[in-house]
Amino acid sequence: MKQRCTLSQLLGIEHSILLAPMFLISNTKMVIEALSCGCTAAIPALNYRSEKELHEAILEIRRAISKPFGFNLIVNKSNLKYKSQLKTLLDLKVDFIITSLGNPKDVIASCQPLGIKVFCDVTDVEYAQKVEQLGADAIIAVNSQAGGHCGHLPAKELISKLLQFTNLPIVSAGGIRNNLDVKQMMEWGASGVSVGTIFIATYESDVSKEYKQAMIQYGSKDIIKSTKLTGSALTVINTAYVKRIGTKANFWEWLINNSSILKKYAKLILAWQGMSKVKKSAFKASYQNVWCAGPSIESVKSIRSVKDVLSGLIQADN
């Protein structure tokens, strides 16, 4: 079996810990703090309304600190800004791009000549093998404990399968609460970890106080998977509103999603509507709260700084 480099070796950083790109939540303040702690971080490109804002965010981080960071890029047709976002990331030569929800072929081909690394979200061996053949530098192994759009396999099983059938470095994503979880993932064979949920309730996060309080108030038993919102399994807190609307598509939604004629456009519309609700909830509380989080919410007991949260993870990576 091929010896895999760690995330720290791959990026030249101190710790093999990635502050995960979280839709709406990740921001430059969080990235700068992660980099200052010897870790790395990424932001979804979709967190910025325009390429000008995306451009300025990259420059802001670089003015503050000279350490490697990246951006997450949705590469399927649901991202209407895909090409312009990719151009910005290429022009400014970010250190790495994490691809999600689509074929990363063009991203990898564009990044390789520039020395930009490409990490690809995967949930199974088949897709991991495809991105490896395309030339990806690492895989983000999204397991069933991940927040947001999660995988379907437990972390240990997914890592084990990827170790057996691929040769790329594996960054385990999902279910990381503390330094013991980091150590466990590395012992199972991961090259690093990607951590998101436990950073939502931090001082640097710009989400509403209600969202942060929910992170403290609710536990892992309150995390459910809903296909009602975007058409794909999305892990959210089971608020009163989520309970009211349910987690499964109704008959008409199911019919549209399974129609060969309407399916393509229905999925785009459903994803847009669902993420619009998530966006509204993130920054302004209402009776229609839809808050994304993973089961690791169980360990969130107070609002802390990004540095403080990271210190609890880094202990296992020395």
Side-chain angles (χ1 to χ4, degrees):
M1 185 178 294
K2 179 182 177 182
Q3 183 67 35
R4 300 161 207 250
C5 65
T6 62
L7 181 63
S8 59
Q9 293 169 336
L10 195 60
L11 294 177
I13 56 178
E14 191 175 351
H15 307 291
S16 295
I17 298 171
L18 164 68
L19 202 167
M22 293 178 282
F23 180 57
L24 303 174
I25 299 163
S26 301
N27 60 39
T28 56
K29 292 177 292 184
M30 298 170 77
V31 170
I32 292 168
E33 284 300 304
L35 270 53
S36 69
C37 291
C39 303
T40 191
I43 304 176
L46 279 173
N47 280 11
Y48 299 96
R49 292 176 296 179
S50 67
E51 276 55 66
K52 181 180 180 181
E53 289 182 1
L54 177 60
H55 186 281
E56 181 52 39
I58 297 170
L59 296 184
E60 180 185 344
I61 296 169
R62 284 185 172 158
R63 286 192 292 264
I65 190 167
S66 179
K67 296 287 182 68
F69 63 93
F71 278 81
N72 171 237
L73 192 61
I74 303 298
V75 297
N76 69 11
K77 293 180 180 179
S78 69
N79 182 10
L80 302 179
K81 300 179 180 180
Y82 160 58
K83 290 185 177 180
S84 57
Q85 289 171 345
L86 176 59
K87 184 179 186 303
T88 298
L89 300 179
L90 295 174
D91 287 346
L92 293 184
K93 294 186 175 68
V94 297
D95 298 282
F96 62 90
I97 293 175
I98 299 174
T99 64
S100 301
L101 304 177
N103 188 337
K105 180 179 179 180
D106 291 341
V107 176
I108 294 171
S110 300
C111 287
Q112 283 182 335
L114 300 174
I116 299 172
K117 292 180 171 57
V118 179
F119 307 155
C120 300
D121 280 352
V122 305
T123 59
D124 56 44
V125 169
E126 182 181 3
Y127 189 72
Q129 290 176 329
K130 289 180 180 179
V131 300
E132 181 173 10
Q133 291 170 0
L134 291 173
D137 296 283
I139 45 182
I140 309 290
V142 184
N143 62 52
S144 58
Q145 295 292 296
H149 287 110
C150 61
H152 55 277
L153 295 176
K156 185 177 183 179
E157 182 179 352
L158 181 57
I159 292 171
S160 177
K161 288 179 179 293
L162 293 172
L163 285 173
Q164 185 177 358
F165 296 107
T166 70
N167 296 299
L168 293 175
I170 301 163
V171 179
S172 184
I176 309 293
R177 301 163 298 173
N178 51 44
N179 60 320
L180 295 178
D181 290 332
V182 176
K183 184 178 181 180
Q184 183 69 86
M185 298 298 171
M186 302 298 276
E187 288 178 349
W188 284 339
S191 298
V193 296
S194 176
V195 191
T197 291
I198 60 175
F199 291 97
I200 296 174
T202 55
Y203 297 121
E204 292 84 0
S205 169
D206 291 325
V207 300
S208 70
K209 62 181 181 179
E210 290 83 3
Y211 193 172
K212 293 182 183 182
Q213 189 57 43
M215 295 297 299
I216 299 168
Q217 175 185 348
Y218 291 92
S220 58
K221 69 181 187 304
D222 301 304
I223 299 301
I224 60 167
K225 295 179 182 179
S226 172
T227 57
K228 176 82 172 180
L229 295 161
T230 66
S232 300
L234 185 71
T235 58
V236 297
I237 299 175
N238 197 18
T239 61
Y241 175 69
V242 172
K243 289 177 181 178
R244 182 166 68 82
I245 65 173
T247 60
K248 304 292 184 182
N250 61 37
F251 173 76
W252 293 110
E253 291 167 337
W254 179 89
L255 184 64
I256 292 173
N257 273 306
N258 287 273
S259 165
S260 59
I261 300 175
L262 302 174
K263 185 176 181 179
K264 174 183 175 182
Y265 302 100
K267 283 195 170 183
L268 292 176
I269 294 171
L270 183 59
W272 179 82
Q273 289 178 333
M275 296 320 291
S276 292
K277 287 183 180 179
V278 172
K279 185 174 183 178
K280 289 177 181 177
S281 300
F283 303 109
K284 185 178 180 181
S286 73
Y287 73 95
Q288 293 185 335
N289 288 321
V290 179
W291 290 318
C292 291
S296 56
I297 190 177
E298 185 71 30
S299 66
V300 179
K301 305 300 181 184
S302 63
I303 299 175
R304 298 189 289 163
S305 67
V306 166
K307 184 176 181 180
D308 189 26
V309 177
L310 279 170
S311 67
L313 300 175
I314 288 171
Q315 294 174 36
D317 194 45
N318 290 323

